[in-house]
Amino acid sequence: MATTGADILPMHAQSTMNKLPLVRRLEAVGFRAWPASSVQYDGSWQVRLTAGHPSKRLNCVVPLDPSDSRDLDIRLTKAQRKFEAYGRPMVVRETPLASPMLIELLQRHGWTRFEETIVMTADLIDLELPDTLDHLPSHDVGRYVDASLLVDKADPILKPALAEVVSGIKPPSGLFVIENDEAGPVATTLCVQDNDLAGIMSVSVAAEHRRKGLAIEILTSALRWARMRSARTAWLQVGASNEPALALYARFGFREAYRYCYWRPAGEA
C-alpha cells in the first residue's frame, strides 16, 4: 500500500495536523468575537492593531499557515513598523498554525515566549447545567462595560475603547451582569454566538465576592442562553496557570483543544 506524506510524519506532527481544521475555525470565530480596529494581511499573517485598547488579542501578529515561511525577517520588520505607528509593543501569537521556521527565527533573534493560554471546548448538547438562578442577557453595551471595568478594577480610561470593541462584535452576543443591591456589579460574562459555536469571552467575579458560586451562576446563564439559540459547542480561552478557572471549566465539561502563547522581542517587558 502506498504511503502519504502524513503517514510518515512523527506521531506528534500527525496529531497537530489532525487538529488544524478545528484550530482554524476557532481562531476565525475568535477574531469575530473580539474584533480589532485594524486588520491587515501579509501573506497568511493577520496583523491586528487597536490603538485604544492594550489587549494582546487585539494587538498581535497571527500566523495562519504552517507552510508560510517566506521572507520572514523582512515581514517581521514591516510588521514592527506598523506596531510602532500604533504605539503598541509588537507581539507574535503562536498557535498550531504558526510556521515552525518562524518560531525558530524568533528564538534565534532572542525573542521571549510568554503567557501560555489554553483554548477549551465543551459539548453543549448533552451538557447537564447546574440548577442555578437564571440571568437574562442585557443588550446595553454601556451598562456592561461599566460593570466589567468595576468588577475587574480596570482603568476607567479604557471605557471608550472597550465599548468600541464590544459594539463592534458582529455575531449575536449576550452581555451578562450580576448585581448586588449594596455592592453593585459583582460578576460579568460576555458570550458570543457564532452559528453553532458559543464563545465565552470572559468570566469575571469581583475579588471580594469570589467563592460564593457567582462564577457558576453567571457561566450557567450564558451557556443556557447560547444553547437555547441552537449553539452546539462552547469554547473559551484561559491562562494555563489559572488553576481556579481551569477547575471551574472542567466542571462544565470543557476540555483542551489546543494552546497558544505570545512572543516579544528581546528586552521588551
Side-chain angles (χ1 to χ4, degrees), residues 7-264:
D7 293 329
I8 60 177
L9 287 172
M11 285 303 296
H12 68 87
Q14 291 188 41
S15 174
T16 299
M17 288 186 65
N18 291 339
K19 71 169 66 171
L20 290 187
L22 174 63
V23 176
R24 288 192 177 97
R25 188 166 187 224
L26 290 178
E27 287 293 295
V29 297
F31 297 153
R32 293 192 290 271
W34 202 240
S37 61
S38 170
V39 177
Q40 303 174 41
Y41 281 89
D42 181 349
S44 67
W45 294 6
Q46 187 178 100
V47 182
R48 297 167 57 80
L49 285 161
T50 303
H53 200 287
S55 165
K56 286 182 289 298
R57 280 191 281 177
L58 298 176
N59 297 278
C60 61
V61 176
V62 190
L64 297 171
D65 183 352
S67 67
D68 184 357
S69 57
R70 63 175 180 81
D71 303 327
L72 296 176
D73 272 314
I74 295 173
R75 293 161 71 189
L76 282 173
T77 301
K78 287 173 57 180
Q80 180 69 61
R81 295 195 190 105
K82 293 176 182 177
F83 277 79
E84 289 172 354
Y86 267 75
R88 290 289 173 209
M90 180 173 170
V91 293
V92 173
R93 188 162 177 257
E94 178 194 352
T95 74
L97 301 177
S99 162
M101 293 182 65
L102 171 61
I103 304 308
E104 290 172 7
L105 178 67
L106 299 180
Q107 291 174 322
R108 288 201 306 273
H109 286 345
W111 286 49
T112 304
R113 182 181 188 273
F114 69 105
E115 201 168 295
E116 186 175 38
T117 299
I118 305 174
V119 180
M120 310 182 81
T121 60
D123 180 6
L124 280 179
I125 299 175
D126 299 320
L127 179 63
E128 292 188 15
L129 292 171
D131 185 14
T132 63
L133 181 65
D134 197 18
H135 297 272
L136 297 177
S138 167
H139 298 289
D140 186 336
V141 172
R143 173 174 174 256
Y144 170 80
V145 168
D146 285 340
S148 179
L149 293 173
L150 283 171
V151 169
D152 292 335
K153 291 183 170 55
D155 192 336
I157 199 171
L158 292 176
K159 179 177 178 177
L162 182 57
E164 182 179 356
V165 172
V166 176
S167 298
I169 299 171
K170 300 302 184 186
S173 56
L175 311 175
F176 293 84
V177 178
I178 295 179
E179 293 182 314
N180 180 296
D181 289 339
E182 297 178 357
V186 293
T188 61
T189 289
L190 168 60
C191 182
V192 178
Q193 185 205 346
D194 198 328
N195 295 312
D196 64 330
L197 294 174
I200 302 296
M201 304 310 296
S202 69
V203 177
S204 297
V205 177
E208 60 273 22
H209 291 277
R210 290 172 186 166
R211 296 183 175 84
K212 298 179 180 178
L214 291 173
I216 292 173
E217 192 173 304
I218 200 166
L219 180 56
T220 298
S221 295
L223 294 176
R224 185 177 291 124
W225 171 81
R227 185 161 65 183
M228 288 178 61
R229 295 179 56 87
S230 301
R232 300 170 64 87
T233 302
W235 65 274
L236 53 80
Q237 304 177 5
V238 58
S241 61
N242 191 341
E243 295 295 337
L246 289 169
L248 169 68
Y249 299 141
R251 178 173 176 176
F252 281 82
F254 282 91
R255 299 292 180 265
E256 179 175 333
Y258 64 97
R259 298 188 179 207
Y260 70 82
C261 66
Y262 293 98
W263 291 82
R264 61 189 167 206

